[in-house]
Amino acid sequence: MDFQLTEEQRAIRDLARDFAQKEIAPIAAQIDESGEFPYETVKKMGELGLMGIEVPEKYGGAGLDAVSYVLAVEEISKVCASHGVILSVNNSLVCYGLEKFCTEEQKQKFLVPLASGKKLGAFSLTEPQSGSDAGNMKVRAVLEGDHYVINGRKSWITNGPAADYMILFAATQPELKHRGTAAFVVDTKLPGFELGKKEPKLGIRASATCEATYDNYKIPVSHRIGNEGDGFKIAMSILDMGRIGISAQALGIAEAAYEASVAYSKERSAFGQKISEFQAIQWMIADMSTRIEASRLLVYNAAVKKDSGGKFSREAAMAKLFASETAMWVTTKAIQVHGGAGYSKELPLERYFRDAKITEIYEGTSEIQRMVIARAALEGK
Ligand code: CAA
């Protein structure tokens, strides 16, 4: 596999790197501490074309490929994983889904403002009783003439408190289980929609995550994406792309922790020599470096597979599984290399460690990724 980047891919990587260093790095620790949503920098990411990287220019996006997208998420996440997931959700879970499944009229109405960064999007699948078992939805959408009436509660909505539009999945015929579900685009400013509890999270603390309740929320039939019955499959298909984004986020976090460890090991002395001269440290550095390189190959491979057309569920699951477990492993070792300094909030190591954990959980836990990979291996799915 040849991962020579094109001029265009290098340009978006450099743009994201430069923006992250100049605009995000100075606020990353502070917004982690306060948990405030970074509206200003998210707006600027939109102005730079980062909020709809793969969306064609005619729909307000940058018209680039999936490799460009992962490079941007990687660079942003290396500096701040909260910005990384805000970016990833808008690009993968929202814009990708709208571009793939919406009508021309829906694209003009929803995709154009979301891809150009004028509006922010969220994805609402999870419910209090169903995370991994995503087909088991209790939120109901009942058809009444030219609109649906929605009732129920959703949870764990990344970008939720800041979102203008949300892709919502709801049951239209609960007796049909996942085949009785539909997808909708919800305008969060309309009556009947209410934001719920904000999650007090371990990591990615500046990316707002919340519950949302629907109380007789009326939504026109024209805001339904695809057909009734397609909801679950649309969610799964969108999550394939989402998992590539999260794999790139995990890669960025791991790289940040690794680079800090290499630098620190060359500065810190113990027993009369730099700690980089101890084999114990060298072996940790070697293993970090190798696992990160393997993650990068899987992440870029999944993006290349997506760009080449066809199904990429397996490649996305492999990339997310390996990169997220690598991020957790590398950030744990990075704190070990730093010793007490790594455990202190004065350095960003403990933030990387807290941020890494979610990559093994959201958009499908590591166990779900293994399920997807095993089914591909055993059943050819
Ligand atoms: N693309 C399109 N269709 C797919 C698909 C895919 N990747 N995967 C499955 N399907 C289809 C199947 O073909 C099947 O179709 P039929 O009804 O025609 O047979 C249907 O969907 C059901 O498939 P399964 O039998 O495989 O379904 P399952 O109930 O066994 O579930 C699962 C499979 C992989 C476990 C799935 O439920 C899953 O991925 N769960 C995790 C959900 C998840 O990732 N949630 C995260 C939510 S988002 C989030 O984290 C918050 C955020 O804001 C970031």
Side-chain angles (χ1 to χ4, degrees):
M1 184 72 61
D2 179 12
F3 285 121
Q4 289 287 345
L5 300 182
T6 64
E7 208 172 299
E8 220 170 34
Q9 290 162 348
R10 282 199 304 274
I12 187 94
R13 181 198 61 192
D14 294 349
L15 178 137
R17 182 180 292 168
D18 196 50
F19 178 74
Q21 288 300 338
K22 287 198 181 116
E23 306 262 352
I24 302 178
I27 60 167
Q30 171 212 321
I31 59 175
D32 169 60
E33 182 73 26
S34 67
E36 69 197 272
F37 188 86
Y39 285 97
E40 274 308 305
T41 37
V42 170
K43 186 163 165 258
K44 286 184 188 166
M45 291 199 293
E47 288 160 4
L48 288 173
L50 295 174
M51 295 307 270
I53 294 171
E54 290 178 80
V55 174
E57 289 175 59
K58 66 173 176 169
Y59 295 124
L64 300 174
D65 57 12
V67 173
S68 304
Y69 166 58
V70 298
L71 291 165
V73 176
E74 179 185 341
E75 291 299 333
I76 299 285
S77 303
K78 203 165 161 180
V79 170
C80 173
S82 291
H83 277 82
V85 71
I86 294 166
L87 182 70
S88 179
V89 164
N90 199 74
N91 273 275
S92 310
L93 292 189
V94 183
C95 289
Y96 170 75
L98 296 182
E99 207 224 322
K100 187 163 179 188
F101 295 106
C102 279
T103 62
E104 182 60 30
E105 196 185 323
Q106 290 172 329
K107 285 182 192 175
Q108 292 300 336
K109 187 163 185 179
F110 304 118
L111 180 57
V112 171
L114 287 162
S116 57
K118 293 192 174 67
K119 302 271 185 198
L120 187 71
F123 178 88
S124 187
L125 174 66
T126 302
E127 298 184 5
Q129 81 293 337
S130 63
S132 294
D133 182 13
N136 176 29
M137 294 172 215
K138 297 277 183 279
V139 169
R140 283 296 312 272
V142 177
L143 186 60
E144 288 183 5
D146 61 355
H147 64 267
Y148 288 86
V149 177
I150 315 248
N151 278 292
R153 184 152 60 105
K154 288 283 182 181
S155 55
W156 288 102
I157 310 165
T158 305
N159 287 352
D164 301 283
Y165 296 125
M166 237 173 236
I167 301 187
L168 168 77
F169 300 90
T172 47
Q173 288 182 273
E175 66 283 7
L176 297 182
K177 305 272 168 65
H178 73 267
R179 293 195 177 118
T181 58
F184 303 89
V185 185
V186 162
D187 182 336
T188 63
K189 305 290 181 287
L190 295 182
F193 176 89
E194 207 167 312
L195 290 174
K197 164 178 83 113
K198 195 175 161 206
E199 295 297 341
K201 305 192 300 277
L202 172 74
I204 54 161
R205 289 178 34 76
S207 74
T209 310
C210 70
E211 291 191 336
T213 44
Y214 294 85
D215 182 10
N216 289 324
Y217 179 90
K218 276 189 181 178
I219 190 164
V221 171
S222 61
H223 288 200
R224 192 187 67 220
I225 308 174
N227 296 317
E228 263 197 31
D230 288 349
F232 185 77
K233 285 189 192 180
I234 291 175
M236 289 301 111
S237 169
I238 293 176
L239 278 165
D240 284 341
M241 191 63 217
R243 289 165 187 170
I244 296 182
I246 299 308
S247 70
Q249 183 200 26
L251 176 61
I253 299 169
E255 283 169 344
Y258 165 73
E259 287 176 16
S261 301
V262 170
Y264 186 79
S265 71
K266 291 199 275 187
E267 282 162 18
R268 174 79 179 178
S269 297
F271 304 102
Q273 60 184 30
K274 299 292 180 202
I275 63 167
S276 60
E277 290 167 42
F278 290 107
Q279 196 176 47
I281 300 294
Q282 290 172 2
W283 285 14
M284 281 194 255
I285 299 284
D287 287 344
M288 284 183 191
S289 169
T290 306
R291 290 184 194 212
I292 289 173
E293 197 64 26
S295 299
R296 184 179 293 110
L297 291 171
L298 284 170
V299 174
Y300 293 5
N301 178 60
V304 168
K305 185 78 198 286
K306 190 265 168 183
D307 283 334
S308 65
K311 210 166 182 294
F312 54 92
S313 315
R314 171 180 169 272
E315 290 75 12
M318 285 180 168
K320 180 175 180 297
L321 172 65
F322 197 82
S324 62
E325 294 193 346
T326 294
M328 202 59 235
W329 190 87
V330 168
T331 54
T332 306
K333 293 294 178 203
I335 292 182
Q336 200 66 20
V337 170
H338 285 76
Y343 199 69
S344 163
K345 280 188 180 287
E346 283 177 12
L347 290 182
L349 278 302
E350 60 84 37
R351 168 162 61 89
Y352 301 151
F353 172 81
R354 287 185 286 105
D355 288 347
K357 185 60 204 172
I358 191 61
T359 66
E360 293 183 320
I361 298 172
Y362 60 14
E363 304 200 26
T365 60
S366 291
E367 292 69 29
I368 292 291
Q369 307 312 321
R370 288 188 167 89
M371 196 190 253
V372 171
I373 297 162
R375 284 181 182 180
L378 300 169
E379 300 163 30
K381 276 190 179 173

